[in-house]
Amino acid sequence: MKNKNSLWEKLKRLCRYRLVIPLLRSPHPPYFKARGVAIGMVWAMTPLVGIQMWLVFMTLVFLKKVCKWDFSLPLAIAYTWVTNVFTLVPVYYAFYVTGQIMLGNFKSITGYGQLKDILAQTFLSDLGFVEQWTLFFKLLLQDWGIAMAVGCIPWAIAGGIGSYYITLKFFEKRALKKLQKQKAK
């Protein structure tokens, strides 16, 4: 039997099973889950796709040792997947434009097409895996890196703070609904 779900339906299902269900099934208190989501979103909103999960783990180690502070590691890792191969180009471009604006370089903002060309030139060439990634990071650091590094800061702050409060509110509403259901019985 052929699967009739569209690509969009498959992506929605994947997000639900990888992001929402683990959040709902976690036995930890809401603030613990919200911290995990926030840490994951902070690292997701950086131009470090590929090492974000490792950085989440290092953040957990650091916070446990230095601050005696804990969060949900699986949720944090899952929420780094917000930025991935499919969202890389628009997210990196948003970081770049934000960085150029923050640096006051309004006239030197290059087009979205240029980033797409850099990615196509890098990854659609006959170079090997290591050579492709080396060229990609070289181009980013030389041409786009500083602006992206600066531009990701407000996105990371907003993503972390926003996701923390949204997650807390979500669990407050969920707990209230459970309480109302129990009282109704």
Side-chain angles (χ1 to χ4, degrees), residues 110-130:
T110 56
Y112 183 77
Q114 185 180 2
L115 180 60
K116 281 177 43 181
D117 292 343
I118 288 171
L119 293 172
Q121 174 188 14
T122 304
F123 294 111
L124 298 178
S125 64
D126 293 332
L127 298 173
F129 179 79
V130 173

Side-chain angles (χ1 to χ4, degrees), residues 46-184:
T46 63
L48 301 170
V49 172
I51 62 169
Q52 294 166 332
M53 291 186 290
W54 181 80
L55 292 168
V56 164
F57 177 72
M58 296 310 296
T59 303
L60 178 66
V61 170
F62 174 78
L63 290 175
K64 272 188 169 185
K65 291 250 185 220
V66 175
C67 304
K68 308 288 187 243
W69 201 65
D70 205 3
F71 61 86
S72 173
L73 181 63
L75 287 174
I77 287 173
Y79 276 82
T80 64
W81 302 338
V82 169
T83 52
N84 53 53
V85 176
F86 303 110
T87 62
L88 187 78
V89 176
V91 170
Y92 274 21
Y93 188 70
F95 295 161
Y96 169 73
V97 170
T98 304
Q100 289 290 44
I101 291 169
M102 289 173 66
L103 294 170
N105 300 332
F106 299 101
K107 293 181 181 178
S108 63
I109 296 175
T110 56
Y112 183 77
Q114 185 180 2
L115 180 60
K116 281 177 43 181
D117 292 343
I118 288 171
L119 293 172
Q121 174 188 14
T122 304
F123 294 111
L124 298 178
S125 64
D126 293 332
L127 298 173
F129 179 79
V130 173
E131 291 85 12
Q132 286 178 340
W133 281 100
T134 303
L135 178 61
F136 174 67
F137 284 112
K138 181 181 172 190
L139 289 169
L140 282 179
L141 290 174
Q142 286 177 348
D143 301 332
W144 292 56
I146 294 171
M148 284 176 52
V150 170
C152 78
I153 294 169
W155 291 97
I157 292 169
I161 292 171
S163 64
Y164 180 82
Y165 286 108
I166 288 170
T167 304
L168 276 181
K169 289 292 180 192
F170 171 78
F171 280 105
E172 284 175 5
K173 286 182 181 179
R174 191 164 189 251
L176 186 61
K177 283 183 183 180
K178 269 187 177 180
L179 189 62
Q180 288 172 346
K181 273 186 180 181
Q182 288 175 352
K183 285 183 180 179

Side-chain angles (χ1 to χ4, degrees), residues 21-36:
I21 301 237
L23 187 64
L24 296 175
R25 290 187 178 165
S26 174
H28 300 290
Y31 69 87
F32 184 83
K33 294 184 256 191
R35 285 181 191 166

